[in-house]
Amino acid sequence: MRRPEGFDIIILVMAVTLTCFGVVMVYSASSVMAAKKYHDGFYFLKRQGIFAAAGFAAMVFTMQLDYHVWKKVAVPLFLSCFFLLILVFIPGIGGAAKGASRWIRLPGFNFQPSELAKVALIIYMAYSLDKRQEKLRNFSTGFFPYLMILGAFIVILLKQHDMGAALTMGTVAITMLFAAGTKPRYILGMGVVALPGVFYLVVSEAYRMRRITAFLDPWKDPTNAGFQIIQSWLALGTGGILGQGLGEGKQKLFYLPEAHTDFILSVCGEELGLVGVLVIASMFLLLVQRSIRVAIAAEDNFGRFLAFGIAVLLGLEAFINMAVVSGMLPTKGLALPFLSYGGSSLIISLTAVGILLNVSSRMKGLPS
């Protein structure tokens, strides 16, 4: 039964506010480029508006759907995502851009299966951890099988040149395992064993090495590998405390690459200043805090793991994007949830929020 208080209104307000604000900022960041490329300054605004409407519809549907239903579809959904990730490599079905093969071409829309796979992984792990919690403290029957499953997904994502999604899924899965009771020494041991592999992945691909060297010193190659982060710094620095004003940013005018997608926070910083960026970061922090609150008070373990996984996913993606934009992490293609342009990310994020809201409506008690 739902609580008399209903859904967590703060989570709902944060998700809706961030999404609506994202639509405005996508227009601000893309209108000039859209006018030049598509002869329609509203091109990205109209598409993002459609994505937002579809995302809100998905959120309303999932927030009304009893979250226990996801137990029944956890395994088929998980396997379907594995199949979809393979489909991107098939000519005529998969789409590529800038050396990465991450999309399935649909009429008028490119779908990114890795976005759905992130939520499918959380649903599957919540279902599996609920069933197998007593086995988690055993390496061979509790921890190792999850490593094999996770490893298969990561291999496919790395083949797609999507290291950002691979790192995100890996971190979410390991965090959920830790929260479910996996022995810390298993996780630490896995990290030590994985380090040589991570090092090899970085040095074996020239584009990854360029990102690392640009991260360490972007001014060594300011017109190529270091160009994007330098332009991002210029945008953030120009914004100052209060910003240049909505729509008044200059770096988006063909200087800052991916201004309306991965680096939309730079545009926010230039136009709304440090204050605007801090407000956005605070909204994400509040969203994650309330999501963890829901996980603590969920009526069963499945709901706890489900809410906790979604909280980690949204918080981690927001943190990585903000760290990349500010130069704290090497550049990688990872959208800022709710704000960045893109249908797959926005629709799936709002769908996940809907699931989270349904868990909140059935909390057995509010934590202090």
Side-chain angles (χ1 to χ4, degrees), residues 129-192:
L129 292 173
D130 182 33
K131 286 183 60 178
R132 298 165 53 87
Q133 197 168 7
E134 70 283 352
K135 298 181 180 180
L136 289 177
R137 301 190 70 81
N138 184 287
F139 181 83
S140 59
T141 60
F143 186 64
F144 187 72
Y146 290 105
L147 288 187
M148 294 297 97
I149 294 171
L150 185 61
F153 270 83
I154 288 177
V155 167
I156 294 178
L157 290 171
L158 291 176
K159 286 287 186 181
Q160 296 178 6
H161 289 205
D162 196 353
M163 196 167 185
L167 289 173
T168 301
M169 290 183 70
T171 303
V172 170
I174 296 302
T175 306
M176 290 181 70
L177 284 168
F178 176 75
T182 298
K183 292 180 179 179
R185 70 171 183 266
Y186 294 162
I187 297 174
L188 291 174
M190 182 211 66
V192 171

Side-chain angles (χ1 to χ4, degrees), residues 33-43:
M33 184 266 285
K36 180 176 181 180
K37 187 174 181 179
Y38 298 101
H39 308 292
D40 180 4
F42 297 97
Y43 177 83

Side-chain angles (χ1 to χ4, degrees), residues 67 130 173 180 200 228 246 277 281 286 289 313 323:
Y67 71 86
D130 182 33
Y200 172 76
Q228 192 168 33
L246 185 63
V277 172
L286 181 57
Q289 183 269 328
L313 175 63

Side-chain angles (χ1 to χ4, degrees), residues 349-360:
S349 294
L350 288 171
T351 300
V353 169
I355 297 172
L356 182 64
L357 287 169
N358 187 264
V359 177
S360 77

